[in-house]
Amino acid sequence: MRSVDNETMPMKTAPEVHSAIMVIVDDRRIAAAKSDYDWKVCVRAVAAAAALIQGVPVAGTPREYCGAVLSGLQKLFDDYYDVDGEYTSGRSDIGTIISRIESLEKSLPILAS
């Protein structure tokens, strides 16, 4: 898993945060593909999260952008259920992405827009 190192290079723009979020999604995509259980369900859940993120306008402060992404992902998480899974519905993969983005958001500087 690659890490998003906001300590050495603080993110000051929404596009920088978007790039960091896509690293999180790509890491989860790789992990999902290696899943021992219902890997197709996991991959589809990560793809749904990635599609949602790509649809969020990359604008505002880093925190505003992060908040918009998290808001959309939380709705996706609440509504998501892949019936093809024997052991998972795919929600846990979306939850993992949310958790990692929340950690990223906490590390962002508070900037005025």
Side-chain angles (χ1 to χ4, degrees):
M1 174 170 58
R2 295 173 289 175
S3 77
V4 179
D5 188 4
N6 193 29
E7 299 274 326
T8 58
M9 188 171 291
M11 289 170 244
K12 297 181 181 175
T13 67
E16 290 172 335
V17 173
H18 176 76
S19 294
I21 287 172
M22 294 316 296
V23 168
I24 290 168
V25 172
D26 288 343
D27 285 348
R28 193 69 221 148
R29 182 178 292 125
I30 292 165
K34 293 179 181 178
S35 177
D36 291 332
Y37 304 101
D38 296 333
W39 68 270
K40 289 180 183 178
V41 171
C42 299
V43 168
R44 284 193 299 258
V46 174
L52 183 139
I53 292 164
Q54 292 295 350
V56 175
V58 182
T61 68
R63 282 182 175 267
E64 289 167 343
Y65 173 68
C66 224
V69 168
L70 285 168
S71 175
L73 285 174
Q74 188 60 55
K75 180 167 179 14
L76 177 66
F77 177 82
D78 292 343
D79 296 341
Y80 196 87
Y81 188 86
D82 189 326
V83 297
D84 291 336
E86 184 177 351
Y87 299 101
T88 183
S89 66
R91 290 180 78 223
S92 64
D93 288 283
I94 297 167
T96 298
I97 292 169
I98 290 171
S99 176
R100 293 201 53 213
I101 294 172
E102 286 173 338
S103 294
L104 172 68
E105 182 183 42
K106 289 175 186 171
S107 72
L108 294 172
I110 298 173
L111 303 172
S113 49

